[in-house]
């Protein structure tokens, strides 16, 4: 679409008609522009513009001469481009020149924008990128990327080879067996402006960019050019294997033997020098490395192999395949051999704590080998170890550690237990007795109930402990008195040194600072459960 020029006749002279109709919408304020790599000027104005004129000025001075102008622009609905490069007068020095744009939009008056710059400079860029082959393969892993650098002269409109020694920065995006990577390199042009770069991507090249980085002080570098993709021709193989034992103890070798072949244009042939590996985990198409490796070898000239696989982890099978590579088919072929390796293990010393709120926490780990899927349980017994109940089930972490948290009992035996799995035998840890005594505030009063501000009041009450189901006085208990002013959410401690007498009673003379809530807390030790009073609100006069 071209900008429409509207003309009116006056004294035989044709000039753009200025329409002074009021705007039916908000005026356009987002004009911007840029010089394109081919010397055309790109202008960001609405696609429905009625008239546009782009002028290049000699300077920013008032009344500066117009070096060139054009009204020939075409829009692609997102921006306007001049139909041809803007040509400045012969002898004009290379540099950046101010741009003035006169335009008119529907329902608006003719406007002017002077925020642009026209880059009247030679443009240097990259073109003609190509690979010397469509794919790399297991046997041919290197490819050569070639390209050309050119220099476009806006004064003459000619494009020639870029100077010898021009540097081109290359960034290649690679992908191999679920791993994304980046290769960066710099190529140098020859006398004819061409360059070549050998690349070993070890996978596919999924595009990239090439940019001139030595444009000089006058030249304007073109926008980056995209690098074409480079595929991989995957190798198809098949493998067979057997083990000499079915059941072994942990750490004992089994011998894995077999044969591997590769597919060629003339059929299946022995695969010499293949990287064979035995794992305790089934190979996956997205493995970037072999998982749970038990052993491995390189195949002979006839494709045969034999290696000792030491099962350190409990496993059901030995999977024999080739180590992951971008040059093998994504669906890795393997042969599975049955094997069972139940393992003995020991618990590392663990701790079990029962806190003042009744929470029991077991923290420890396994000695030896483990995986993140090993089950572990926190168990409790209320009948001195005759029967056990599961309080919490979980799994160990990557470093064989675990932490199990549950609500405990007043008095019980606790232990950590590992149920039997294909990897480990069932085993229980040492039983540990943990107990605390329940406590309560049986009374809590404040007198007087309406003390004067900063006056004295008496805080008193009684603390008890539960012994064999009977509540008895708790003597010598340390208490904390706390206060929360009205309209605040924060509690503040007043004293931490209140002590109960032999009858479990306490009394403290406190200052009525202001209106607010008061409460008493038990400073618990390692033998009692926590308790606190209900908050009592005092309205100080």
């Amino acid at each position: 679409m071209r900008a429409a020029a509207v003309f009116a006749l006056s004294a035989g002279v044709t000039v753009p008609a200025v329409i002074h109709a009021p705007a039916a919408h908000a005026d356009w304020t987002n004009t911007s522009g840029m010089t394109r790599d081919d010397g055309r000027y790109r202008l960001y104005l609405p696609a429905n513009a009625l008239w546009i004129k782009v002028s290049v000025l000699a300077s920013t001075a008032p009344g500066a001469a117009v070096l060139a102008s054009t009204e020939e622009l075409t829009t692609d609905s997102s921006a306007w481009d001049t139909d041809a490069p803007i040509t400045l007068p012969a002898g004009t020095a290379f540099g950046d020149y101010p741009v003035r744009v006169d335009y008119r939009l529907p329902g608006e008056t003719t406007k002017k924008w002077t925020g642009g710059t026209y880059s009247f400079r030679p443009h240097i860029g990259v073109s003609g990128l190509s690979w010397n082959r469509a794919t790399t393969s297991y046997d041919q892993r290197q490819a050569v990327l070639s390209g050309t650098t050119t220099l476009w002269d806006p004064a003459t409109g000619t494009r020639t080879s870029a100077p010898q020694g021009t540097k081109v920065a290359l960034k290649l995006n690679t992908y191999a067996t679920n791993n994304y990577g980046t290769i960066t390199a710099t190529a140098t042009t020859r006398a004819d402006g061409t360059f070549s770069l050998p690349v070993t991507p070890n996978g596919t090249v999924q595009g990239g960019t090439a940019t001139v980085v030595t444009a000089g002080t006058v030249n304007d570098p073109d926008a980056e050019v995209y690098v074409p993709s480079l595929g991989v021709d995957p190798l198809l193989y098949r493998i067979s294997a057997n083990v000499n034992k079915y059941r072994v103890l942990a750490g004992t070798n089994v011998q894995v033997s077999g044969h591997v072949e590769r597919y060629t244009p003339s059929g299946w042939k022995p695969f010499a020098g293949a990287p064979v590996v035995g794992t305790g985990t089934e190979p996956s198409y997205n493995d970037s490395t072999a998982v749970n490796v038990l052993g491995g070898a390189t195949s002979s000239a006839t494709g045969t192999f034999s290696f000792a696989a030491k099962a350190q982890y409990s496993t059901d099978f030995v999977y024999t395949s080739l180590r992951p590579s971008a040059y093998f088919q994504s669906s890795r072929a393997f042969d599975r051999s049955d094997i069972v390796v139940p393992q003995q293990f020991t618990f590392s010393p663990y701790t079990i704590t029962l806190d003042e709120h009744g929470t029991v926490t077991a923290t420890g780990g396994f000695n030896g080998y483990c995986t993140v899927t090993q089950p572990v349980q926190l168990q409790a017994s209320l009948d001195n170890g005759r029967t056990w109940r599961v309080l919490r089930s979980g799994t160990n972490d990557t470093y064989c550690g675990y932490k199990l948290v549950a609500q405990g009992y007043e008095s019980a035996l606790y232990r950590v237990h590992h149920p039997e799995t294909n990897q480990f035998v069932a085993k229980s840890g040492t039983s540990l007795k943990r107990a605390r005594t329940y406590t309560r505030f049986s009374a809590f009063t404040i007198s007087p109930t309406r003390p004067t501000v900063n006056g004295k009041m008496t805080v008193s009450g009684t603390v008890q402990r539960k012994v064999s189901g009977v509540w008895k006085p708790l003597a010598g208990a340390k208490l904390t008195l706390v206060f929360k002013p009205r309209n605040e959410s924060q509690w503040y401690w007043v004293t931490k040194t209140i002590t109960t007498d032999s009858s479990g009673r306490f009394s403290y003379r406190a200052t009525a600072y202001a209106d607010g809530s008061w409460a008493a807390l038990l400073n618990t030790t390692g033998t009692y459960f926590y308790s606190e009073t209900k908050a009592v609100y005092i309205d100080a006069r």
Side-chain angles (χ1 to χ4, degrees), residues 377-458:
Q377 298 174 345
L378 172 59
Q379 297 182 340
S381 174
L382 301 178
D383 54 10
N384 204 31
R386 288 191 297 274
T387 61
W388 292 87
R389 63 188 67 184
V390 177
L391 300 183
R392 183 70 65 192
S393 296
T395 58
N396 59 274
D397 60 28
T398 305
Y399 301 100
C400 303
Y402 55 83
K403 181 179 181 180
L404 302 173
V405 181
Q407 190 63 31
Y409 300 95
E410 179 182 7
S411 179
L413 284 175
Y414 299 95
R415 73 181 185 185
V416 173
H417 176 76
H418 176 272
E420 182 177 328
T421 65
N422 289 337
Q423 291 78 29
F424 287 163
V425 298
K427 181 169 290 189
S428 298
T430 304
S431 301
L432 301 174
K433 180 68 175 288
R434 296 291 181 263
R436 280 181 181 263
T437 302
Y438 286 118
T439 64
R440 72 178 184 182
F441 284 82
S442 59
F444 180 65
T445 60
I446 299 177
S447 179
T449 57
R450 293 197 67 197
T452 59
V453 175
N454 292 323
K456 292 296 183 180
M457 60 184 187
T458 301

Side-chain angles (χ1 to χ4, degrees), residues 443-531:
F444 180 65
T445 60
I446 299 177
S447 179
T449 57
R450 293 197 67 197
T452 59
V453 175
N454 292 323
K456 292 296 183 180
M457 60 184 187
T458 301
V459 179
S460 60
T462 304
V463 184
Q464 296 179 323
R465 62 192 177 100
K466 194 173 186 180
V467 181
S468 300
V470 179
W471 289 101
K472 296 183 177 183
L474 178 55
K478 297 294 184 181
L479 309 178
T480 296
L481 181 64
V482 294
F483 170 64
K484 181 178 70 172
R486 185 181 65 177
N487 298 328
E488 290 192 28
S489 59
Q490 176 69 42
W491 286 91
Y492 303 92
W493 66 268
V494 178
T495 179
K496 298 182 179 181
T497 59
I498 300 175
T499 306
T500 59
D501 61 17
S502 60
S503 298
R505 299 187 181 91
F506 64 92
S507 180
Y508 179 78
R509 291 283 288 172
T511 301
Y513 304 112
D515 294 349
S517 300
W518 295 79
L521 320 175
L522 176 64
N523 301 342
T524 54
T525 64
T527 58
Y528 293 105
F529 286 114
Y530 172 81
S531 60

Side-chain angles (χ1 to χ4, degrees), residues 28-249:
W28 175 262
T29 59
N30 295 324
T31 308
S32 62
M34 60 176 287
T35 307
R36 303 196 64 170
D37 293 337
D38 60 1
R40 292 182 296 159
Y41 192 75
R42 165 155 282 207
L43 183 67
Y44 291 92
L45 278 175
N48 63 348
L50 300 176
W51 174 70
I52 302 172
K53 181 178 181 180
V54 177
S55 300
V56 178
L57 308 181
S59 71
T60 58
V66 176
L67 299 179
S69 63
T70 181
E71 299 179 28
E72 300 297 323
L73 294 92
T74 304
T75 182
D76 59 5
S77 297
S78 63
W80 292 86
D81 291 305
T82 59
D83 291 350
I86 297 178
T87 302
L88 301 189
T92 301
F94 290 136
D96 298 322
Y97 292 88
V99 170
R100 185 186 69 206
V101 177
D102 299 285
Y103 66 95
R104 185 167 60 255
L105 302 179
E108 296 184 9
T109 60
T110 300
K111 294 187 176 179
K112 184 179 299 183
W113 175 72
T114 57
T117 300
Y118 181 70
S119 177
F120 185 66
R121 297 173 179 272
H123 287 245
I124 187 169
V126 180
S127 63
L129 288 175
S130 64
W131 295 97
N132 67 328
R133 53 172 44 89
T135 61
T136 57
S137 65
Y138 182 82
D139 299 308
Q140 179 56 63
R141 303 191 180 195
Q142 188 181 86
V144 178
L145 177 65
S146 299
T148 301
T149 56
T150 59
L151 186 68
W152 179 76
D153 188 339
T156 62
T158 60
R159 186 174 292 275
T160 59
S161 299
Q164 182 176 2
T166 298
K167 302 293 184 181
V168 178
L170 295 161
K171 179 181 178 182
L172 309 180
N173 301 320
T174 63
Y175 176 82
T177 55
N178 210 34
N179 277 336
Y180 292 92
T182 301
I183 296 175
T184 58
T186 301
T188 303
T189 59
R190 296 179 280 262
D192 60 356
T194 62
F195 62 89
S196 298
L197 180 71
V199 179
T200 305
N202 290 317
T204 62
V205 175
Q206 299 188 327
T209 58
T211 311
V212 172
V213 294
T214 54
T217 57
V218 175
N219 299 331
D220 188 2
D222 286 349
E224 60 187 18
V225 175
Y226 291 101
V227 174
S229 60
L230 178 67
V232 165
D233 184 15
L235 182 148
L236 179 65
Y237 74 89
R238 63 186 182 186
I239 192 168
S240 60
N242 291 293
V243 295
N244 65 337
K245 296 178 183 178
Y246 172 73
R247 184 183 297 274
V248 295
L249 297 175

